[in-house]
Amino acid sequence: MLCQTDTLPEFEDELFLEVHTSVSGLGGRMIEQTAEVYLDELETAIEGVVVVRICVDAAGNVTDANYTMQGSTTSSPSLIDLAIESAREFKFEESLVDKHCGRISYLFKLE
């Protein structure tokens, strides 16, 4: 499982949003490129885990990204949209296998 942590810029109300991502499945393929996650507006109680099921083609491109309730702790449309948008921008190393599927879990946490 691979992990990454990003802290987003300071907002007007001086809250920070920390985002942790972890990737599982995908036959052990390494991440070549991740995506930045930015919020335009800060909701109340924006914390939670969003799990996105992804499929990756042989070239390492994400071809499918969908929210899954399994493992998710929030149903916030804003967080779900952010996670799906970010997941679509990931790039993985190439493989001889036509298609690998796995998950990216996003932990959104206010600091």
Side-chain angles (χ1 to χ4, degrees):
M1 185 178 324
L2 303 170
C3 295
Q4 175 180 348
T5 302
D6 295 314
T7 300
L8 299 182
E10 190 171 339
F11 292 94
E12 288 179 14
D13 57 3
E14 298 182 5
L15 292 173
F16 289 87
L17 182 65
E18 189 175 326
V19 181
H20 298 269
T21 57
S22 63
V23 177
S24 60
L26 303 177
R29 291 167 90 168
M30 300 299 295
I31 298 171
E32 289 188 351
Q33 174 183 323
T34 61
E36 299 291 332
V37 179
Y38 294 106
L39 288 177
D40 292 330
E41 297 176 13
L42 189 61
E43 298 176 2
T44 1
I46 198 163
E47 296 183 329
V49 175
V50 175
V51 178
V52 178
R53 180 162 167 73
I54 63 167
C55 291
V56 178
D57 65 15
N61 301 307
V62 174
T63 58
D64 194 26
N66 294 295
Y67 167 75
T68 179
M69 290 183 357
Q70 185 177 5
S72 295
T73 63
T74 181
S75 59
S76 163
S78 298
L79 292 184
I80 291 169
D81 289 346
L82 281 170
I84 290 172
E85 182 181 319
S86 170
R88 291 182 191 276
E89 294 179 23
F90 269 67
K91 174 80 173 167
F92 294 86
E93 68 184 1
E94 293 182 5
S95 172
L96 296 176
V97 178
D98 289 337
K99 182 179 180 180
H100 275 125
C101 294
R103 308 170 1 145
I104 301 176
S105 299
Y106 292 84
L107 169 60
F108 295 94
K109 182 179 177 185
L110 290 173
E111 287 190 334

